[in-house]
Amino acid sequence: MTAPPLGRDYRLLWSAAVSSRLGDALRTPALALLAATLTRDPRVIAAVTVAGQLPPLLFGLLGGVYADRWDRRRTMAVVDGLRAAVVGGLAAAVALDRADVVALVTVAFLLATLGTLFDAASFAMLPSVVPPAALPRANGRLQAGSAVAGGFVGAPAAGVLFALAAPLPFVFDALTFAVAALLTLALPHPLPLPLPLPLPPTPAPGPPRSCTFRPDKTAQKPPRRGRNCKIAASGGGGGGGWGVWEGVGWVRGDATLWRLTVVTAGSNLAISGLMAVLVLYALDVLRVSPTGYGLFTAAAVLGGLAGGLGAGRLAARLGTVPALRVVLAAQAVALTGLAMARHPLPGGLALAVFAAGTTVWNSLWAAYGQRHVPAALLGRVGAAQRLVGLLTAPVGATLAGLGGAAYGVAPVAAAVAGVFVLVTLAAWRVLRPAAPAPSAAPTRTGTAGRPGRRPWR
């Protein structure tokens, strides 16, 4: 079967997203290098990193609300314009020797905060520019482009540019954001979202023990009874928690989407632990030389590129959820092989396979939500997915760091592999194809049997 074309609008959106990713890859190491020139206090340097990690946890849900309320195309363009201005200001401060640690922390926090809104709008924008059948392939190519821009171009270039002149990486970062804003503005205006419906009436004292409320008339599946009775209508409603928590309610109410999100959180617990000790594991256990570490990590970039390009084909052949089960199994084998490896070559191959699986998982997980969630809720639901998926990352990194200090990095790698294997076994249990619905049977009232679950595609 011929794959549906992605089209001009997708190419514009892809170019804007990859341009932004290139800027991020230039800025992140440059910020660390700049912080190291200002201070050698590890706590201060770590504060710059933490400032860039907090906003998705603090404002991720709110970013999803505004991604659904505002014009997504215009939101993405304005956010990239603001990011270009912020990074341009930092470049000027560095050139004038006015940059300090407070400025770096502030810039990292502002850029990450704006990034939460951009990510929510971009996630919700994609289904409006490609047909549903092309979403796995479209997400895969976005992941592949980001891997190339970040791993092969941005990260190596950042150190070279910083060595030439400290402001240069930030100047190029500002230019990439400006280009991304112009590319986004070239997209056609999307169809308007449904107007907000009135909020449900305030319940009287003593609400019923269980109730059912459908968040959108076009929704494929209502939330579970007794759990999401206060979900607002699709437009996000008026204020406060109604709009912010609606995405969480939708994810929690859709059994398959919730299970995929929980599995993602579990796998991120292991992945963050691996990333926390990867450099030490490569240098001390695999005996990778410091000069060869860049080549070793390039294996992950190549794996991510291959995974992004193959995600669409895998989903078309197996179906989205069955493909995700296969990917988890392959990752579990690869991570176990990495934990057992004691040489750079098998370790690099295992890392490449694991990175390929991560890219496929991210692509298909996103595509499943984009295909099954109503358009007016995509920003909030996508933000809720990312928030739940990221909650375990700091825990995994912290535990890996403490375990590495106490027992060494080799046992930590084995423990990480063990956690991932357990997550995989649990996922294979909960992500099984639904049994067919029982055939209709005559009853006293003449009603038929309950309908089966929707297909997991």
Side-chain angles (χ1 to χ4, degrees):
M1 188 173 94
T2 305
L6 297 177
R8 169 187 175 273
D9 294 345
Y10 173 76
R11 290 193 292 271
L12 288 172
L13 183 62
W14 183 91
S15 300
V18 172
S19 178
S20 293
R21 176 68 185 102
L22 174 60
D24 292 339
L26 286 169
R27 182 187 67 256
T28 301
L31 276 176
L33 290 170
L34 182 58
T37 63
L38 298 174
T39 179
R40 290 294 181 178
D41 189 336
R43 297 168 298 178
V44 176
I45 296 176
V48 178
T49 302
V50 172
Q53 294 174 342
L54 282 178
L57 300 177
L58 298 176
F59 309 121
L61 294 179
L62 191 60
V65 171
Y66 288 111
D68 284 341
R69 290 183 179 178
W70 294 342
D71 181 295
R72 291 162 181 164
R73 165 185 166 273
R74 188 175 302 166
T75 297
M76 292 170 61
V78 170
V79 165
D80 271 337
L82 290 174
R83 292 198 284 188
V86 171
V87 179
L90 177 62
V94 174
L96 297 174
D97 200 20
R98 297 292 181 88
D100 56 16
V101 172
V102 175
L104 299 190
V105 170
T106 303
V107 166
F109 188 84
L110 284 175
L111 292 174
T113 301
L114 291 169
T116 61
L117 182 55
F118 181 91
D119 291 342
S122 176
F123 174 86
M125 184 79 176
L126 184 59
S128 68
V129 300
V130 298
L135 282 171
R137 186 160 55 102
N139 279 289
R141 292 194 178 186
L142 275 173
Q143 293 281 334
S146 297
V148 172
F152 283 148
V153 181
V160 175
L161 292 173
F162 190 87
L164 292 175
L168 273 182
F170 306 108
V171 171
F172 278 93
D173 187 17
L175 289 176
T176 61
F177 284 136
V179 169
L182 294 176
L183 289 169
T184 304
L185 289 175
L187 288 166
H189 285 279
L191 294 175
L193 294 175
L195 292 175
L197 299 177
L199 289 174
T202 303
R209 297 178 66 88
S210 65
C211 61
T212 302
F213 182 77
R214 187 184 294 272
D216 193 308
K217 292 181 179 179
T218 63
Q220 289 88 343
K221 188 172 183 179
R224 297 176 180 175
R225 295 185 63 193
R227 190 180 298 275
N228 298 306
C229 304
K230 294 185 178 181
I231 297 179
S234 67
W242 291 96
V244 169
W245 293 105
E246 189 172 0
V248 177
W250 182 273
V251 173
R252 187 65 186 91
D254 185 300
T256 302
L257 195 59
W258 174 245
R259 290 167 182 171
L260 288 173
T261 303
V262 171
V263 170
T264 301
S267 62
N268 280 342
L269 179 70
I271 292 172
S272 62
L274 172 66
M275 298 308 297
V277 299
L278 181 61
V279 60
L280 293 177
Y281 186 79
L283 297 176
D284 298 342
V285 178
L286 299 181
R287 303 298 179 185
V288 177
S289 66
T291 56
Y293 183 72
L295 185 61
F296 177 76
T297 55
V301 180
L302 286 173
L305 176 61
L309 295 178
R313 293 181 181 179
L314 187 62
R317 179 178 294 272
L318 302 178
T320 301
V321 177
L324 289 173
R325 298 174 81 215
V326 172
V327 164
L328 276 178
Q331 284 189 285
V333 173
L335 193 52
T336 303
L338 179 61
M340 296 174 63
R342 293 297 181 267
H343 188 274
L345 182 57
L349 290 174
L351 183 63
V353 173
F354 186 81
T358 300
T359 304
V360 175
W361 178 275
N362 291 338
S363 302
L364 301 190
W365 178 44
Y368 183 89
Q370 290 164 339
R371 182 180 292 180
H372 291 95
V373 176
L377 283 169
L378 271 172
R380 282 162 286 180
V381 171
Q385 287 179 269
R386 285 188 294 274
L387 177 64
V388 176
L390 287 172
L391 283 176
T392 57
V395 179
T398 301
L399 292 177
L402 295 174
Y407 305 107
V409 292
V412 169
V416 164
V419 169
F420 202 94
V421 168
L422 292 177
V423 171
T424 301
L425 293 175
W428 271 72
R429 179 176 178 81
V430 302
L431 296 178
R432 289 180 296 187
S439 59
T443 64
R444 288 186 179 181
T445 60
T447 56
R450 296 179 62 188
R453 301 176 186 175
R454 69 170 176 237
W456 281 359
R457 299 293 296 178

